[in-house]
Amino acid sequence: MKIAVITGAASGIGLALSLVCLKRGMTVVMTDKDSQKLESESHSLCRQFPQQVLHYCCDVTKPE
């Protein structure tokens, strides 16, 4: 099983990369600091790719 952890996954390049990875059969862990946008986009992708999408709201610039 291949897993991709993608930061900034709620929009732009991060969201596009999430879709590419999902289409290649990978499990994708989507992270972003915008919780509402992340939840919306991850649920949308989860409908297309069941059991392949996880999401976690975080700001990777902050260690805590």
Side-chain angles (χ1 to χ4, degrees), residues 4-63:
V5 177
I6 302 174
T7 61
S11 63
I13 294 170
L15 182 56
L17 183 57
S18 295
L19 182 57
V20 168
C21 290
L22 289 164
K23 286 182 177 179
R24 292 185 178 183
M26 299 175 78
T27 297
V28 173
V29 180
M30 301 173 70
T31 67
D32 201 288
K33 61 183 179 181
D34 183 340
S35 62
Q36 290 179 336
K37 181 82 170 147
L38 178 63
E39 189 162 334
S40 173
E41 295 299 342
S42 67
H43 286 301
S44 176
L45 289 176
C46 196
R47 284 191 291 276
Q48 297 174 54
F49 303 94
Q51 306 298 314
Q52 284 179 256
V53 180
L54 301 168
H55 69 277
Y56 184 74
C57 184
C58 68
D59 183 347
V60 297
T61 65
K62 307 229 184 289

